[in-house]
C-alpha cells in the first residue's frame, strides 16, 4: 500500500462521495456570506459551468482564495516581467481598462498617446525619423513583435527574389540556440528554416558572429540578434554581426538585414550603457522589438515593434479597415487588445523620464553585482554571468578575474548586460559534496518563498545546469541580502544532510517530468525555452 501512487483528485472525489452519503445539506441556494455559501461544503466549479449563480462576494472570495496558493510575484526571480507599479499608474489602468486599443476612431486621445510612445522609442533607439514620423506599433508583447519583425523581413526578401526572377520558396533565418522560444515559433509558424547557431562558453553562451556568418546564404531573410540573453543576460554583438554582414555583401553581394530582439535590453541599454552600439544607429538594423512589461516597467500586456523607416514595412502587412465609422490602418497579429497597458507605458515615460529610468537600471545592475560578488565569495558557486565583471573581462577568461573596473563604478564600467545573475555549484564543491544536487537548491529555496529556476544551458552546453536570478526594480538591497542568506542556508543544509532525491523538486502539479520534457523537445527539434 505504501508504494501505491495516489491520484489526489480522484482520491478526494471518492472520499467526498462517501462522506456525503446520507448527510443532510443546508439550503443550497445563493448566500451572500462567502464562507457560508454552498461551496463551503461542496465542490467548486472546475470542468463544467455551475447550474446556479453565486453572489459577487462568494465568487470573488472563491477565486481569491484559489489564487492565494500562487507564489508571490515579488519573489518570483525566474521572471523578467515587471510586477509593481505606482498607485497612480494602477488608477490610470483601472480608469482605462475598458478601452480597446484597436478602436482608433472611438479613442483618438488614446491613439495620440500611442503615437507619442512610438516616437519616444524611436528617439531612444536612434531611428532616422523625419518630421517626428516614426513607424511602429504596440503589441501584446515581444512574442508578437518578434513575429512581425520576422514577417517583414520575409516579405521583403520574397519581393526582392521575385523581382530578380529567383526562387523564393526556401527562406531561412539565423539566430543563436540560446534564443527565447518566440523566435523559433516565428520560424515554425511562418515556414522559415531556423538555422540555429550553437553557443559555447567562449561565446558567452550567446550567438558567435563568426559561426553565424557561415550559415548565411542567398535564402537568408535576416539575422536575429538578442539584446539580453535570457540564460545569462549577455548582450549579443549587433555591431560585430553587422560588420560581418557588410563584409559578406562586399564579397558575395548578399544584403542581409538584422532584427534586434531587445525584449529586455531595449529599456536597459539606452540608460545604463549609452555608448553601446546596438540600435538604429547601425544601418543594417531594420527593426527592433521590446517588452514594455519587462524593463519598460509596466504590467504584462504590452510590447513594441519599430521599423527603421516605412520602406522596411511591406505594404502587404498593412490592412486598411473601414470600421466603426472611420478608416484605420493596422499591421498587428492581434486585433482587439487592452489600451490600458500602453497608457501605463506612457505614464512611466512622463513620470520617470530619462533620469528615472537611468536611476532604476543603475540600481538593478548594482544589486545584481552585489549578489554576484556574494555568491563568488561564498566559495560554493561559480557565477557564469558577467554583469559584475569589468568591461571586457568574462567568466571564460579566468586569468583576468579580480581585475577592477575603471571609472566611477557606474554600469557602463562593467560588461553590457541585463541585471541577471546566473550561477552554479563550483567543481570543488561538487567533488566534496557529490550528494548535493543543484535542483535541490532551487527546490528548497521555494520553501523560503523564492522562485529561482534551475535548468540546462542550450545544446553544446547542455551538460551545464544553472540557477538564475533576474534582479528587477522590486528587488531591494535588503531583499538581496535575504536571498543570499537563504541561498547559503539552503546550500549548507544540503551539505549537512543525507542525499535528497532532487527529482521531487523538478515537477509541479500537472507538469511533465523533466525526462518527458526532454523527450518531447527532441521530437519537435525545439531548443529554446521560455525563460
Amino acid at each position: 500500500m505504501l508504494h501505491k501512487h495516489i491520484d489526489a483528485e480522484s482520491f478526494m472525489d471518492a472520499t467526498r462521495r462517501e462522506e456525503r452519503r446520507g448527510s443532510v445539506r443546508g439550503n443550497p441556494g445563493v448566500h451572500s456570506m462567502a464562507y457560508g455559501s454552498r461551496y463551503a461544503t461542496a465542490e467548486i466549479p472546475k470542468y463544467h459551468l455551475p447550474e446556479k449563480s453565486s453572489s459577487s462576494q462568494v465568487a470573488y472570495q472563491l477565486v481569491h482564495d484559489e489564487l492565494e496558493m500562487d507564489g508571490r510575484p515579488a519573489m518570483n526571480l525566474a521572471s523578467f516581467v515587471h510586477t509593481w507599479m505606482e498607485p497612480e499608474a494602477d488608477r490610470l489602468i483601472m480608469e482605462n481598462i475598458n478601452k480597446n486599443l484597436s478602436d482608433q476612431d472611438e479613442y483618438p486621445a488614446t491613439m495620440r498617446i500611442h503615437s507619442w510612445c512610438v516616437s519616444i522609442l524611436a528617439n531612444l533607439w536612434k531611428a532616422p525619423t523625419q518630421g517626428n514620423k516614426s513607424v511602429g506599433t504596440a503589441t501584446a508583447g515581444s512574442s508578437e513583435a518578434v513575429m512581425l519583425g520576422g514577417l517583414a523581413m520575409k516579405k521583403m526578401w520574397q519581393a526582392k527574389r521575385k523581382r530578380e526572377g529567383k526562387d523564393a520558396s526556401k527562406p531561412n533565418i539565423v539566430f543563436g540556440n540560446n534564443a527565447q522560444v518566440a523566435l523559433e515559433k516565428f520560424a515554425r509558424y511562418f515556414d522559415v528554416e531556423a538555422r540555429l547557431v550553437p553557443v559555447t562558453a567562449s561565446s558567452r553562451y550567446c550567438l558567435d558572429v563568426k559561426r553565424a556568418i557561415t550559415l548565411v546564404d542567398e535564402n537568408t531573410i535576416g539575422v536575429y540578434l538578442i539584446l539580453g540573453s535570457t540564460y545569462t543576460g549577455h548582450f549579443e554583438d549587433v555591431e560585430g554581426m553587422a560588420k560581418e554582414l557588410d563584409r559578406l555583401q562586399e564579397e558575395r553581394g548578399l544584403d542581409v538585414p538584422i532584427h534586434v530582439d531587445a525584449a529586455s535590453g531595449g529599456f536597459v541599454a539606452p540608460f545604463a550603457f549609452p555608448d553601446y552600439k546596438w540600435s538604429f544607429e547601425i544601418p543594417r538594423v531594420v527593426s527592433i522589438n521590446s517588452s514594455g512589461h519587462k524593463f519598460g516597467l509596466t504590467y504584462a500586456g504590452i510590447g513594441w515593434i519599430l521599423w527603421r523607416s516605412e520602406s522596411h514595412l511591406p505594404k502587404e502587412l498593412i490592412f486598411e479597415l473601414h470600421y466603426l465609422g472611420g478608416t484605420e490602418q493596422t499591421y498587428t497579429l492581434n486585433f482587439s487588445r487592452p489600451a490600458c497597458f500602453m497608457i501605463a507605458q506612457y505614464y512611466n515615460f512622463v513620470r520617470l523620464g530619462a533620469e528615472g529610468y537611468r536611476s532604476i537600471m543603475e540600481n538593478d545592475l548594482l544589486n545584481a553585482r552585489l549578489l554576484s560578488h556574494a555568491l563568488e565569495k561564498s566559495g560554493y558557486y561559480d557565477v557564469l554571468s558577467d554583469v559584475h565583471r569589468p568591461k571586457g573581462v568574462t567568466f571564460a577568461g579566468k586569468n583576468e578575474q579580480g581585475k577592477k573596473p575603471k571609472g566611477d563604478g557606474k554600469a557602463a564600467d562593467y560588461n553590457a548586460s541585463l541585471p541577471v545573475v546566473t550561477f552554479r555549484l563550483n567543481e570543488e564543491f561538487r567533488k566534496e559534496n557529490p550528494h548535493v544536487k543543484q535542483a535541490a537548491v532551487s527546490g528548497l529555496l521555494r520553501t523560503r518563498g523564492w522562485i529561482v529556476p534551475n535548468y540546462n544551458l542550450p545544446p553544446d552546453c547542455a551538460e551545464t545546469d544553472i540557477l538564475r536570478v533576474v534582479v528587477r526594480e522590486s528587488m531591494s538591497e535588503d531583499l538581496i541580502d535575504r536571498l543570499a542568506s537563504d541561498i547559503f542556508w539552503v546550500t549548507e543544509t544540503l551539505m549537512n544532510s543525507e542525499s535528497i532525491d532532487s527529482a521531487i523538486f523538478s515537477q509541479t502539479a500537472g507538469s511533465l517530468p523533466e525526462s518527458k520534457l526532454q523527450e518531447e523537445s527532441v521530437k519537435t527539434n525545439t531548443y529554446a525555452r521560455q525563460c
Side-chain angles (χ1 to χ4, degrees):
M1 178 64 182
L2 291 177
H3 68 275
K4 177 182 176 183
H5 172 70
I6 294 177
D7 181 329
E9 190 164 343
S10 299
F11 182 81
M12 289 304 297
D13 283 344
T15 305
R16 190 180 294 111
R17 286 194 298 271
E18 182 67 25
E19 185 66 26
R20 289 174 182 168
R21 189 175 298 164
S23 66
V24 178
R25 312 297 287 173
N27 178 10
V30 176
H31 295 269
S32 60
M33 295 182 297
Y35 291 110
S37 77
R38 68 179 186 272
Y39 293 129
T41 55
E43 189 174 8
I44 66 171
K46 293 180 181 177
Y47 311 114
H48 304 286
L49 194 67
E51 286 296 325
K52 296 189 176 182
S53 301
S54 298
S55 71
S56 58
Q57 298 99 313
V58 170
Y60 166 79
Q61 198 67 48
L62 179 71
V63 178
H64 172 85
D65 290 351
E66 279 292 310
L67 294 173
E68 283 287 280
M69 291 182 280
D70 273 344
R72 291 181 56 199
M75 297 179 76
N76 178 9
L77 308 182
S79 178
F80 287 86
V81 176
H82 195 67
T83 57
W84 176 86
M85 293 193 76
E86 293 173 318
E88 291 80 5
D90 291 346
R91 193 184 314 157
L92 272 174
I93 288 169
M94 292 311 301
E95 287 172 357
N96 293 278
I97 200 166
N98 56 356
K99 288 184 180 177
N100 187 345
L101 189 55
S102 66
D103 290 349
Q104 299 177 24
D105 189 63
E106 284 67 33
Y107 305 122
T110 296
M111 295 315 300
R112 280 196 298 274
I113 288 176
H114 175 270
S115 68
W116 295 342
C117 285
V118 171
S119 293
I120 288 169
L121 288 171
N123 180 268
L124 192 65
W125 296 341
K126 303 180 180 179
T129 55
Q130 296 181 351
N132 291 323
K133 185 177 181 181
S134 307
V135 184
T137 183
T139 60
S142 266
S143 293
E144 181 187 3
V146 159
M147 293 185 194
L148 287 168
L151 273 173
M153 290 193 297
K154 179 183 176 182
K155 295 293 184 182
M156 294 292 289
W157 174 83
Q158 287 175 326
K160 182 181 178 182
R161 297 285 288 181
K162 289 175 182 177
R163 286 196 305 269
E164 296 172 348
K166 297 178 180 178
D167 178 34
S169 65
K170 298 178 181 178
N172 68 67
I173 191 163
V174 175
F175 54 91
N177 65 5
N178 60 311
Q180 208 267 0
V181 72
L183 278 66
E184 278 196 86
K185 279 186 174 182
F186 160 74
R188 189 181 300 179
Y189 291 175
F190 294 102
D191 297 319
V192 177
E193 177 195 353
R195 294 191 171 179
L196 302 176
V197 184
V199 303
T200 62
S202 61
S203 71
R204 304 177 307 159
Y205 307 106
C206 54
L207 183 135
D208 183 333
V209 298
K210 296 295 185 182
R211 298 182 74 172
I213 199 68
T214 64
L215 300 179
V216 176
D217 61 22
E218 64 178 5
N219 292 319
T220 302
I221 66 171
V223 180
Y224 275 142
L225 280 109
I226 306 166
L227 198 74
S229 170
T230 56
Y231 286 91
T232 56
H234 289 108
F235 290 176
E236 293 187 336
D237 187 2
V238 181
E239 186 177 24
M241 189 75 246
K243 289 178 180 178
E244 288 294 319
L245 290 170
D246 289 344
R247 181 180 59 80
L248 185 68
Q249 184 173 8
E250 289 178 7
E251 293 175 357
R252 298 174 54 190
L254 301 179
D255 186 8
V256 178
I258 289 173
H259 172 91
V260 179
D261 175 17
S264 297
F267 284 95
V268 175
F271 304 109
F273 309 100
D275 296 328
Y276 188 81
K277 290 187 177 181
W278 66 275
S279 58
F280 288 121
E281 76 265 43
I282 299 173
R284 202 162 286 277
V285 174
V286 298
S287 51
I288 298 172
N289 71 274
S290 194
S291 291
H293 59 232
K294 292 179 181 172
F295 291 99
L297 309 180
T298 71
Y299 296 127
I302 183 69
W304 299 96
I305 171 74
L306 268 69
W307 283 272
R308 182 177 196 83
S309 67
E310 288 182 344
S311 64
H312 295 286
L313 177 60
K315 288 184 171 52
E316 57 262 50
L317 292 186
I318 302 173
F319 283 82
E320 188 174 277
L321 305 178
H322 303 280
Y323 185 63
L324 298 179
T327 300
E328 306 171 1
Q329 284 192 336
T330 178
Y331 41 90
T332 56
L333 298 178
N334 288 322
F335 188 65
S336 293
R337 57 201 192 280
C340 58
F341 301 115
M342 182 277 296
I343 293 168
Q345 182 76 83
Y346 183 66
Y347 168 85
N348 276 346
F349 290 161
V350 174
R351 168 73 174 92
L352 297 174
E355 177 188 39
Y357 271 103
R358 189 178 302 114
S359 176
I360 290 168
M361 300 313 152
E362 287 283 356
N363 290 342
D364 289 352
L365 289 159
L366 177 59
N367 283 333
R369 296 198 296 270
L370 175 65
L371 178 60
S372 299
H373 287 302
L375 291 167
E376 282 188 332
K377 289 177 180 177
S378 73
Y380 300 149
Y381 292 96
D382 282 335
V383 178
L384 280 65
S385 49
D386 291 319
V387 64
H388 63 304
R389 296 189 174 100
K391 191 185 300 183
V393 179
T394 65
F395 176 73
K398 287 190 174 181
N399 58 316
E400 295 188 77
Q401 297 303 303
K403 185 177 178 182
K404 299 295 183 183
K406 298 177 181 178
D408 55 5
K410 295 290 187 182
D413 298 324
Y414 296 84
N415 288 300
S417 171
L418 301 178
V420 167
V421 182
T422 297
F423 57 105
R424 69 189 307 262
L425 293 168
N426 62 40
E427 291 306 317
E428 183 179 354
F429 181 94
R430 289 170 186 260
K431 288 177 182 176
E432 293 178 0
N433 303 276
H435 65 287
V436 177
K437 305 302 179 186
Q438 194 165 282
V441 176
S442 176
L444 281 183
L445 281 172
R446 282 180 178 261
T447 69
R448 310 287 278 201
W450 303 107
I451 301 174
V452 178
N454 181 78
Y455 57 101
N456 295 335
L457 287 170
D460 284 20
C461 304
E463 73 285 352
T464 301
D465 58 335
I466 57 171
L467 295 154
R468 191 198 66 194
V469 168
V470 180
V471 178
R472 303 193 304 273
E473 182 188 8
S474 54
M475 196 68 180
S476 65
E477 183 176 318
D478 180 63
L479 286 178
I480 291 288
D481 291 347
R482 294 295 303 273
L483 172 63
S485 176
D486 283 346
I487 290 173
F488 301 149
W489 172 82
V490 164
T491 308
E492 291 167 3
T493 297
L494 292 169
M495 287 169 58
N496 299 321
S497 302
E498 294 182 0
S499 179
I500 297 177
D501 182 3
S502 62
I504 63 175
F505 299 120
S506 66
Q507 300 179 47
T508 55
S511 69
L512 286 171
E514 185 68 20
S515 60
K516 185 66 175 176
L517 287 171
Q518 292 172 350
E519 186 180 304
E520 292 297 319
S521 175
V522 171
K523 286 181 186 176
T524 58
N525 193 34
T526 296
Y527 303 122
R529 292 177 180 233
Q530 286 196 358
C531 304

